[in-house]
Amino acid sequence: MKLMKAKLCPVSLNVTVRRFVYAREVSDDALIRLVDGCKTLSALQNLHFKIVGRRHLASDPSVAVKLMRSYAACGDIDCARRLFDASTQRNVVFFNVMIRSYVARGHHWEALRLFSDMVRLEGVKPDNYTYPCALKACSCSENLCCGVQIHGDVSKLGLDSNIFVGNALITMYASCGICIDAHRVFEGMLHRDVVSWNAIIAGYVQNGLNEQALKACREMVQLQGPRPDAGTIASISHAMMNDKPEEIGFIRSLFNEIKNRNLISWNAMITIYAKNSMSEKAVQLFREMEKEGLKADEVTLASILPACGDLSYLALGKQLHEYINQQNMYPNMTLENALMDMYARCGCLNEAREVFNHMKKRDIASWTTIISANGMHGHGDQAISLFKQMQGSGLMPDHIAFVSILSACSYSGLLDAGKYYFDCMSKRYQLVPRMEHYVCMVDLLGRAGQVDEAYAFVRQMPIEPNERVWGALLGACRVHSNMSTGLVAADHLFQLFPKQAGYYVLLSNIYARAGRWKDVASVRSIMLSKGIKKPPGCSSVEFENKIHMFYIGDRSHPQSKEIYAELDVLMGRMKEVGYNAETETALHDVEEEDKEVHLMVHSEKLAIAFSLINSGPETPIRITLNLRMCGDCHHAAKLISRITSREIYIKDTNRFHHFECGACSCGDYW
């Protein structure tokens, strides 16, 4: 019967079942085949009823096993167990099916209790199918004691050489945190398949042994044994955090070799790129995945949405949002939080708030994301209001939530509120401040002009200050021209990171503000001798699904002629309303007129001019900058927003600036 061999969907299968149930003559084979393919509980119950009416089938142990397996697959584990208990001819197959069913449904203790009953039963002995299931139950329940006992039993029986048993032992020991024994089992295996390698790699990663995991990956390739598969990429992906480009390149080469790549392998590789700040490559790979015809799932979206935020790829982010709506993936806090974060980092605070407002449920990450979003955009009071609402909802703020509210206070100059929340951490919530909280406090005090208090705070820290703490202090010294403390902070930074260009630039700016040009020259000479180069400023703009990038003095863009003509017009109009170039930190060894020319072609201004040429007055201008925005460009952006009546959003490495009607959301406090 061809119909029975065809793959039926649950609806058509139900119809077929009803036809057979009410048919007068139905073959035994037809009934059994329907049981094997049954996907819904009601259909299975109808089939079971028909089978009970045929004594020769009802008393057949193999039929009982098939019914047990199908009931478990349909989610009725209790009915499967009743069939098991009712059977008088239970053999090893009965036990294996029931134990496997328990494990598949997450009932690990029941699986182990049944395994224990089996071991004590006369005439029924576990086999090479039983032990892997029992060991998986040990792994999932982290029952090391039972796992060790099983290991002893399989060794006595000589089953430890069985590849399935060996793989299960590796996973069991690793899940229980005993990587030494997992490695010992792995090394003792006579034969290994790709599952064996994936198990030891995943075990290393699970226990934080990322270097060993990568080493095992390389060894797997070097030995020219089984080829890596999707499971290999998925296992190693959790170890790839802040890794060297060559390591990521190696994993990409494994990914490229996989034939018939499935969604798991694509997701794992996209996640690796996203976690390692390689957002452009993550988006590029996502595009390749789409061309292959694979549809994104929750894991894909949760990885690619943050990459869109990093790159300010608003158009792609909106497409993904639409896809989530079309696929009706709500409610889903992981995706909703990712959408909020994407919109916030693309400068769309209203859209982020809209996502937040429509959430049916919110966790601490939801609140933290929207608080942080308001803080980045300079809405400190709103961030505080949201923090209070979170407290009122019954959720307990965690360390990350306090980083968000302290940062928001810092961005908006809310000194007293920031001090209150820092004290609140330990006094009300018994949370010990971490390094990131100290960074926020130094930044808060420094921005508010309390540089001496900030330095005193650093000296009283109970933990050794890191480069971010000293960097925040040095930045405050630049803003407030505090030479003495700035030199102390710079000295610590040069010891910690002797080749970090940004810190030399900050010190150079402090000297420049004080007019100490010899010291400026000295700093630049040191940078030259050490081969340290300041990264060039780069501003990017998304237009018609393409990213346009501009560097200082850039003339490589096809529209350069129009861009520079627009700049000339803007410069003339700005001067009419009082613009004077802020040249104090520009190159000191050129004439004042040349300084103005140098400032005029900064990447931010080129990006603004490009956007003005290519978009209508109703379209907000959105720019992403790879450095901290300079004072002259900030002043110019305010004036341009006024004379053109355009909204301008600029995201620099520090925060968002929303320019409108000649003012900035930061209140000139950045």
Side-chain angles (χ1 to χ4, degrees):
M1 295 174 64
K2 292 183 179 180
L3 178 63
M4 304 317 309
K5 293 180 181 178
K7 186 177 181 181
L8 300 175
C9 70
V11 174
S12 57
L13 183 62
N14 281 339
V15 173
T16 305
V17 168
R18 283 198 296 271
R19 287 174 180 169
F20 274 110
V21 167
Y22 294 111
R24 291 184 178 181
E25 292 186 9
V26 181
S27 70
D28 292 348
D29 287 345
L31 275 177
I32 300 307
R33 282 196 296 269
L34 280 172
V35 169
D36 284 337
C38 204
K39 301 296 181 185
T40 63
L41 188 58
S42 59
L44 180 61
Q45 289 169 339
N46 286 332
L47 289 169
H48 192 179
F49 175 79
K50 190 75 173 177
I51 288 169
V52 168
R54 303 185 182 186
R55 292 184 180 180
H56 62 287
L57 285 181
S59 60
D60 187 338
S62 66
V63 174
V65 166
K66 288 178 181 293
L67 284 167
M68 282 170 53
R69 189 181 290 116
S70 292
Y71 271 115
C74 290
D76 194 341
I77 196 76
D78 293 331
C79 191
R81 181 59 191 258
R82 285 195 294 272
L83 282 166
F84 174 85
D85 290 336
S87 176
T88 58
Q89 304 178 55
R90 284 177 297 189
N91 56 22
V92 66
V93 177
F94 271 82
F95 279 93
N96 286 350
V97 169
M98 198 65 236
I99 291 170
R100 186 181 294 109
S101 297
Y102 274 137
V103 172
R105 303 299 299 181
H107 301 297
H108 305 118
W109 289 103
E110 287 87 343
L112 290 174
R113 275 194 288 269
L114 186 59
F115 173 75
S116 179
D117 293 341
M118 181 185 186
V119 171
R120 290 195 298 268
L121 194 67
E122 290 291 333
V124 180
K125 297 298 179 186
D127 62 11
N128 57 314
Y129 294 105
T130 320
Y131 287 116
C133 284
L135 285 167
K136 185 174 181 180
C138 294
S139 300
C140 296
S141 59
E142 297 183 7
N143 191 332
L144 179 61
C145 182
C146 184
V148 170
Q149 290 176 356
I150 293 173
H151 191 180
D153 291 342
V154 297
S155 296
K156 291 175 185 176
L157 296 170
L159 286 175
D160 52 344
S161 61
N162 179 280
I163 196 165
F164 301 108
V165 174
N167 293 344
L169 282 168
I170 293 169
T171 301
M172 184 276 295
Y173 279 119
S175 297
C176 294
I178 315 296
C179 258
I180 293 176
D181 287 338
H183 179 77
R184 188 176 291 122
V185 172
F186 178 78
E187 287 295 314
M189 293 177 72
L190 298 175
H191 302 285
R192 303 171 189 151
D193 60 6
V194 68
V195 178
S196 315
W197 285 96
N198 291 350
I200 195 65
I201 290 167
Y204 286 139
V205 173
Q206 190 176 352
N207 288 276
L209 303 172
N210 295 344
E211 288 187 13
Q212 287 92 322
L214 276 165
K215 183 180 177 183
C217 246
R218 289 192 177 278
E219 186 181 351
M220 178 184 182
V221 174
Q222 289 166 358
L223 290 175
Q224 296 183 342
R227 302 307 302 164
D229 64 2
T232 315
I233 307 296
S235 296
I236 199 64
S237 67
H238 300 290
M240 306 298 290
M241 180 65 81
N242 299 321
D243 268 285
K244 298 174 183 177
E246 57 266 27
E247 297 290 5
I248 297 170
F250 166 67
I251 300 302
R252 178 60 192 266
S253 69
L254 300 186
F255 171 82
N256 291 342
E257 290 177 13
I258 297 173
K259 294 181 179 179
N260 302 318
R261 291 185 292 245
N262 59 17
L263 191 58
I264 294 172
S265 55
W266 285 95
N267 283 347
M269 196 66 232
I270 290 170
T271 300
I272 289 171
Y273 280 137
K275 282 182 3 183
N276 286 277
S277 301
M278 301 173 77
S279 299
E280 198 156 342
K281 286 187 177 291
V283 170
Q284 202 174 47
L285 191 62
F286 172 72
R287 295 294 196 195
E288 290 179 31
M289 187 189 91
E290 285 186 313
K291 289 179 182 177
E292 292 287 329
L294 278 82
K295 288 188 175 181
D297 65 359
E298 178 188 336
V299 178
T300 323
L301 295 165
S303 294
I304 207 65
L305 280 168
C308 292
D310 285 340
L311 299 166
S312 297
Y313 278 11
L314 181 59
L316 177 56
K318 285 184 174 180
Q319 289 172 17
L320 296 174
H321 191 177
E322 187 178 346
Y323 175 80
I324 292 168
N325 291 336
Q326 290 171 349
Q327 298 297 315
N328 195 23
M329 292 183 171
Y330 302 108
N332 189 314
M333 279 194 292
T334 300
L335 292 184
E336 289 164 307
N337 291 344
L339 277 171
M340 256 197 301
D341 183 60
M342 181 276 295
Y343 277 124
R345 290 195 286 155
C346 286
C348 301
L349 185 57
N350 289 336
E351 286 83 350
R353 285 173 175 161
E354 190 175 341
V355 173
F356 179 79
N357 291 337
H358 282 85
M359 291 179 73
K360 291 182 178 179
K361 290 185 179 180
R362 299 168 182 147
D363 59 6
I364 193 72
S366 313
W367 287 96
T368 299
T369 300
I370 198 66
I371 291 166
S372 178
N374 279 273
M376 281 194 301
H377 286 79
H379 301 287
D381 290 331
Q382 182 63 24
I384 290 173
S385 174
L386 285 162
F387 192 86
K388 289 177 179 177
Q389 289 177 47
M390 178 184 70
Q391 290 174 305
S393 72
L395 286 171
M396 295 285 286
D398 60 7
H399 283 91
I400 300 172
F402 274 105
V403 170
S404 295
I405 192 62
L406 289 172
S407 296
C409 291
S410 179
Y411 288 138
S412 298
L414 303 175
L415 182 59
D416 291 338
K419 288 181 176 180
Y420 165 77
Y421 283 114
F422 184 78
D423 291 337
C424 185
M425 275 188 71
S426 53
K427 291 180 180 177
R428 181 173 174 180
Y429 294 102
Q430 289 74 53
L431 293 172
V432 179
R434 296 175 179 171
M435 190 66 77
E436 51 264 39
H437 303 107
Y438 289 110
V439 173
C440 288
M441 283 305 295
V442 174
D443 193 55
L444 173 69
L445 292 165
R447 287 175 188 270
Q450 310 296 318
V451 178
D452 291 337
E453 187 179 348
Y455 183 34
F457 181 87
V458 172
R459 286 184 294 178
Q460 293 169 10
M461 282 174 56
I463 54 179
E464 189 69 25
N466 68 357
E467 78 282 356
R468 292 187 62 206
V469 172
W470 290 114
L473 185 60
L474 181 61
C477 292
R478 184 200 66 82
V479 174
H480 299 288
S481 302
N482 190 312
M483 181 74 68
S484 57
T485 305
L487 290 172
V488 174
D491 183 57
H492 281 90
L493 286 166
F494 295 155
Q495 290 180 42
L496 290 168
F497 284 90
K499 290 197 173 184
Q500 178 59 264
Y503 302 136
Y504 288 91
V505 173
L506 280 174
L507 181 59
S508 175
N509 288 343
I510 291 172
Y511 283 134
R513 278 182 173 241
R516 293 174 56 168
W517 301 113
K518 287 185 178 180
D519 291 318
V520 171
S522 176
V523 171
R524 291 184 178 175
S525 177
I526 292 170
M527 291 176 69
L528 188 63
S529 66
K530 293 185 176 182
I532 302 169
K533 293 182 179 179
K534 176 186 174 183
C538 177
S539 293
S540 58
V541 179
E542 185 179 15
F543 179 66
E544 293 184 345
N545 292 326
K546 183 180 177 183
I547 300 298
H548 298 258
M549 304 179 76
F550 299 92
Y551 294 87
I552 186 170
D554 194 349
R555 291 185 180 271
S556 62
H557 195 276
Q559 288 182 285
S560 283
K561 186 176 180 180
E562 295 93 328
I563 290 169
Y564 278 86
E566 180 71 13
L567 269 182
D568 286 336
V569 173
L570 288 173
M571 193 60 63
R573 293 182 67 185
M574 284 193 293
K575 286 184 176 180
E576 288 175 4
V577 294
Y579 169 74
N580 286 305
E582 295 185 11
T583 59
E584 60 179 4
T585 58
L587 296 172
H588 70 281
D589 50 355
V590 297
E591 296 298 324
E592 198 70 19
E593 185 179 340
D594 292 332
K595 291 182 183 180
E596 289 190 19
V597 173
H598 182 269
L599 291 169
M600 177 181 147
V601 294
H602 274 195
S603 65
E604 302 99 302
K605 296 186 181 77
L606 295 175
I608 291 172
F610 167 81
S611 300
L612 289 170
I613 293 169
N614 291 286
S615 60
E618 73 289 345
T619 306
I621 294 170
R622 302 181 189 278
I623 295 166
T624 301
L625 175 64
N626 68 331
L627 300 175
R628 183 183 181 276
M629 196 174 186
C630 80
D632 184 72
C633 285
H634 191 271
H635 179 43
K638 286 197 296 182
L639 293 176
I640 294 171
S641 73
R642 175 182 161 191
I643 62 180
T644 62
S645 299
R646 295 290 292 271
E647 284 186 81
I648 302 172
Y649 292 86
I650 298 183
K651 179 174 75 170
D652 67 9
T653 54
N654 195 39
R655 65 174 302 155
F656 269 96
H657 300 271
H658 177 199
F659 302 94
E660 188 174 17
C661 301
C664 180
S665 60
C666 74
D668 298 338
Y669 190 83
W670 94 106

